[in-house]
Amino acid sequence: MDKRSKIALYVIGAVILLMMIAEVTKPKAINWRDSYSASDKIPLGCYVMFNELETFSDQPILTSEESIYQYLKQVDTTTKKTLVFINNRIYFDAEESEALLNFVNKGNTVFLSSTYFYGNVMDTLNIAIQRQYSNLFKATSSHHFTSPHLQEFNRNFEDVIENSHFVSVDTLNTTILGRVTTVDEDDTEITNPNFVSVNYGDSNGQFLLHSNPFAFTNYHLLKGNEDYAAAILSFLPKQQIIWDNNYKSGRKIITSPLRYILQNTALKWAFYISMLGLVLFVLFRGKRTQRIIPVIDKLENATVDFTRTIGELYYQHGDFSNIIEKKIEYFLEFTRTNYYLNTANLNLAFIEKLAIKSGNTKEDSRILVDYLVYLKSKNTHTEEELIELNKKIEQFTKHRL
C-alpha cells in the first residue's frame, strides 16, 4: 500500500472516530412523553411523587401492577385504604367501576387526577369533565383552593399544562375543594371547579377528583409547585396508600414473547418441559439414527461447454476463416478417428471409402469433400459459407454407422 492510500485510510478512520465520539457525547433530547409512571424520571414521570408518598401515609406504600378489578380481589379490605390514580386519561369498564364503587362503599378513599376520565364511575357520581383544547400546553392557569387556610399554596401553572375542569357535579354529595382560572381569547377570566370531593356509601367513603395530573409530575414538583401538590394530597386520609402503576400512559408493556411466558407460572413450566423434551429427543434420536451419507456428484465433462465458448468467441469477432479452418480440421480428425481413413489426399478413392464407411451416398460424400477442398483453397470466407459448411457436416454425420 502506497503512502497516499495510507493517509486516506487514516483520515477516514479519524473522521469515523470523531463521529462516534460526537454521537456518544452529544446531549440526549428531553423525553416529553406523558408517562406518570413511578419508575420514570423524565419530566412527565412520577418518580418524585411516588417516593414522597410515604410522608402522607403511616404504612408502607402498596403498588398495583394489574387491573383494579383483579387487584381488589386480592387486597385486604379489613383496614381502610386509599387508591391513587394519576394519568392523563383514566377509563374504567363496567367490572372495574363496580369494584371501585364497592371499595369506596366500604369506607375507603379513591383519589383520581386526570385531564379526562370517563366510564361508569363518573356516570354514577354524576360528574362530567371538559378539556380546554385551545392553547394546549401554553395557556397559563391559576389553581387555587376554596379553603381560606390553603391560600398560601395556590399556584400559577405557566407551561406544560393541559387545562380541564368539571362542568357538572352532584351538588348534594359533592364538595368543591379547588378551582382553576384561565383567560380566554377575549381576555376574560373563567373560573371552574377542578378539585372536588364526592361522598359515596354509608361508611364515609369518598372520591377525590382532580383535573390537573401535571401538578404531580417531576417537572412541576421540581419547579416550585410542590406545595400545591402537597396541599392536594393533604386531603387524603392518614391510611395505607395503594399506588396504581397499571393505568399509566408510560406503563411498561411486555413486548418479548419469551419474557411474557417466563412471567406466567403455567406457561413457564410448559416452556421448561418442552425444552427438556426437545433435549431428550435430540440425544436419543441422534444415537439411533445413522448419519446421512453425503451424495458426491460425478465430475462434469466441460469439454462441450469450453468448445461452445471458444466458438462463440470466434464468431463474435467475425473470424469466419479461422472457424471454417477449425471445423474442417475437426471433421477430418473425426474421419480419421472413426472411419480409419487417410485424409492426406481428398481424391476420388477417398470419397468412395468415405461413402462406404459413413453410410452416405457417393454423391453426398463427393459434394461435401468438394466443398471442403473449395473452402481450403480460399483465403477469406464469409458467414454464409460457414453456415453452409456447418449444415453439410451435420447432414453428413447424421448417417454415421
Side-chain angles (χ1 to χ4, degrees), residues 11 14 47 66 109 117 147 161 220 245 251 312-313 317 401:
V11 171
Y47 178 82
E66 54 190 336
T109 301
F117 31 68
S147 172
I161 180 73
H220 286 292
N245 211 33
R251 178 168 64 95
E312 290 177 354
L313 182 63
H317 284 76
L401 294 177

Side-chain angles (χ1 to χ4, degrees), residues 353-383:
K353 294 178 181 178
L354 179 62
I356 294 172
K357 291 194 175 186
S358 65
N360 289 278
T361 63
K362 184 177 179 181
E363 182 64 20
D364 291 338
S365 301
R366 184 187 61 79
I367 292 173
L368 175 60
V369 172
D370 289 346
Y371 195 66
L372 295 178
V373 174
Y374 166 71
L375 292 177
K376 291 182 68 173
S377 65
K378 295 184 64 176
N379 294 326
T380 59
H381 303 84
T382 63
E383 182 179 359

Side-chain angles (χ1 to χ4, degrees), residues 74-87:
Q74 310 165 15
V75 72
D76 178 18
T77 57
T78 57
T79 57
K80 292 185 179 181
K81 294 178 174 58
T82 299
L83 263 171
V84 175
F85 296 88
I86 301 176
N87 197 39

Side-chain angles (χ1 to χ4, degrees), residues 171-200:
T171 56
L172 294 177
N173 300 307
T174 303
T175 302
I176 298 177
L177 304 176
R179 291 184 171 89
V180 57
T181 300
T182 57
V183 179
D184 63 8
E185 297 176 354
D186 299 327
D187 293 332
T188 303
E189 290 188 351
I190 302 175
T191 301
N192 293 288
N194 76 327
F195 181 35
V196 299
S197 171
V198 183
N199 297 323
Y200 185 82

Side-chain angles (χ1 to χ4, degrees), residues 194-210:
N194 76 327
F195 181 35
V196 299
S197 171
V198 183
N199 297 323
Y200 185 82
D202 301 325
S203 303
N204 297 323
Q206 66 172 338
F207 284 90
L208 292 171
L209 307 177
H210 182 248

